[in-house]
């Protein structure tokens, strides 16, 4: 069964970027510390990254995040999604208008202009097709940014929330849960490594 999984790194004070994020500084000042776990040599971190990216049948992201990863200082062969841990899932971008051009032409991009719900539905179709091809259940992963994940949670589109809690206090930046719809989650898994606490919740 294809699940919708929101997966994001967050600071102890609830920020998913540091202060002043932008095109050339996508994670904001100090925000790189949020993703230390993804480049760690800790065996548990490597396993979680490998398992998380391997289950990705399709990936949803917002337009601001797309502009960062497709920008001149964005992804390359060493810093792309999963960074050597997975093949190339389909990517679905929520946007008001498609970009005029794409730098990362080797990736499968779909641009959905009719809202987040339609983008998630399109990603589910791609993930289900990939599941049939591979003969294994694959999921839709919402990788961000923070506003996209928060909106998906508020809209009831998410089945599982995975937070990678980094041991850093950023003080400011992009908050994940400001103004969120109140809800109680079911804790499913906690993995503590040398670089982060990985939390998994079922969303009902």
């Amino acid at each position: 069964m294809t699940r919708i999984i929101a997966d994001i790194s967050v600071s102890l004070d609830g920020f998913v970027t540091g202060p002043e994020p932008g095109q050339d500084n996508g994670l904001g000042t100090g925000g790189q510390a949020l993703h230390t776990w993804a480049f760690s040599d800790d065996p548990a971190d490597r396993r979680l990254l490998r398992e998380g990216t391997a289950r990705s049948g399709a990936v949803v992201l917002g337009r601001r995040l797309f502009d960062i990863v497709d920008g001149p200082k964005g992804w390359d062969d060493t810093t792309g999604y999963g960074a050597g841990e997975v093949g190339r899932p389909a990517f679905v971008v929520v946007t008001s208008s498609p970009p005029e051009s794409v730098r990362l032409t080797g990736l499968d991009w779909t641009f959905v202009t009719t809202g987040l719900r339609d983008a998630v539905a399109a990603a589910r179709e791609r993930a289900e097709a990939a599941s049939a091809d591979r003969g294994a259940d694959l999921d839709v992963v919402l990788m961000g940014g923070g506003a996209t994940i928060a909106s998906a949670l508020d809209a009831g589109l998410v089945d599982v929330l995975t937070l990678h809690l980094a041991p850093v206090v950023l003080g400011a930046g992009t908050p994940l849960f400001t103004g969120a719809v109140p809800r109680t989650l079911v804790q499913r898994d906690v993995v503590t490594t040398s670089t982060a606490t990985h939390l998994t919740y079922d969303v009902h």
Side-chain angles (χ1 to χ4, degrees), residues 30-185:
Q32 293 82 0
L34 296 172
H35 296 272
T36 298
W37 72 272
F39 301 96
S40 165
D41 291 329
D42 187 302
D45 284 326
R46 299 310 304 171
R47 176 181 62 81
L48 288 167
L49 182 67
R50 183 172 60 253
E51 291 175 353
T53 52
R55 72 172 182 242
S56 303
V59 177
V60 176
L61 61 158
R63 177 58 187 268
R64 278 183 290 182
L65 182 54
F66 166 79
D67 286 343
I68 291 169
V69 302
D70 194 56
K73 295 185 178 180
W75 286 352
D76 56 30
D77 290 340
T78 62
T79 60
Y81 184 79
E85 295 289 349
V86 73
R88 295 176 182 258
F91 291 90
V92 178
V93 181
V94 189
T95 180
S96 59
S97 60
E100 294 182 1
S101 62
V102 174
R103 178 179 66 87
L104 297 169
T105 56
L107 299 179
D108 180 358
W109 297 103
T110 298
F111 298 92
V112 175
T113 60
T114 51
L116 179 57
R117 189 173 295 274
D118 287 346
V120 170
R124 184 189 291 275
E125 289 182 4
R126 299 300 298 273
E128 288 175 346
S131 297
D133 289 343
R134 197 179 299 182
D137 287 336
L138 300 177
D139 298 316
V140 173
V141 177
L142 306 181
M143 67 169 285
T148 298
I149 286 181
S151 295
L153 284 165
D154 288 349
L157 299 175
V158 176
D159 299 313
V160 176
L161 173 64
T162 299
L163 298 178
H164 308 284
L165 187 63
V168 59
V169 175
L170 293 174
T174 305
L176 181 57
F177 290 123
T178 297
V181 174
R183 67 175 68 246
T184 300
L185 308 182

